[in-house]
Amino acid sequence: ENQAGRGVCAVSVNYAAELKRERTLFSGIPAIMPMDNATAPADDQPGVDELRARRCQSKEWLQQHCGLNEDHSAKILIFIGRWVKQKGVDHIAELTPAILNSHPEVQIVLAGPPDDACGLYAQECLTPLVSEYPGRLFVCTEFFMLPAEMRRGAHLCFAPSCSEPFGYVDVEFGLLG
């Protein structure tokens, strides 16, 4: 609509400039337009100390809710969504043991219903791992609602999508910081 079907839209002015400057893949594209972030920052932004305190409290709630070890130094990785090929859940399933073995500080939360063969494959790979990594791996293979305040306790939202640049879950986690 903004570009009459020609060019690419980037998520910010800085990213548009970076794409023009550093990414030769985009050199032949007639225009790279920045699109401003759709959320306006609030006037009363919390300070760094308050954000750290919120993260710490949210992490504790998340760990309790998912039966993870309560460890303030843990880094929590999370995926919540449909377990389908499009979302790359099979890649997460294959990498989970390597991540947990090589990073003892990491805890992983994986939740959502398997909806295709890749989702069922992920379920078959992940379910037995829960007993191998007690207190570090939470797997729930059904619809799972996690309150926003608990999501804030995660350090990284897995989003290895195979066919889309991002989805609504990524936007939700981004808004939580």
Side-chain angles (χ1 to χ4, degrees), residues 60-74:
E60 186 178 319
W61 291 337
L62 179 60
Q63 288 170 329
Q64 290 171 355
H65 188 75
C66 295
L68 300 173
N69 296 331
E70 289 185 41
D71 177 358
H72 294 291
S73 64

Side-chain angles (χ1 to χ4, degrees), residues 62-154:
L62 179 60
Q63 288 170 329
Q64 290 171 355
H65 188 75
C66 295
L68 300 173
N69 296 331
E70 289 185 41
D71 177 358
H72 294 291
S73 64
K75 302 297 182 207
I76 301 176
L77 315 181
I78 193 167
F79 175 87
I80 297 177
R82 290 180 311 117
W83 290 21
V84 294
K85 180 177 182 162
Q86 172 187 350
K87 305 242 182 231
V89 72
D90 52 323
H91 299 296
I92 294 171
E94 291 173 352
L95 291 171
T96 293
I99 293 169
L100 291 171
N101 286 332
S102 61
H103 297 280
E105 75 283 7
V106 167
Q107 297 176 341
I108 299 179
V109 173
L110 305 169
D115 260 1
D116 67 8
C118 283
L120 293 171
Y121 168 75
Q123 180 179 7
E124 292 296 315
C125 291
L126 291 166
T127 302
L129 293 178
V130 174
S131 61
E132 289 183 41
Y133 301 96
R136 294 187 58 214
L137 177 62
F138 173 79
V139 173
C140 176
T141 57
E142 55 191 44
F143 181 77
F144 185 77
M145 183 61 138
L146 190 64
E149 198 54 42
M150 283 187 204
R151 283 182 259 161
R152 182 175 277 127

Side-chain angles (χ1 to χ4, degrees), residues 6 14 46 57 73 98 100 134 154 156:
R6 296 177 48 94
N14 292 340
Q57 181 63 59
S73 64
L100 291 171
L156 175 78

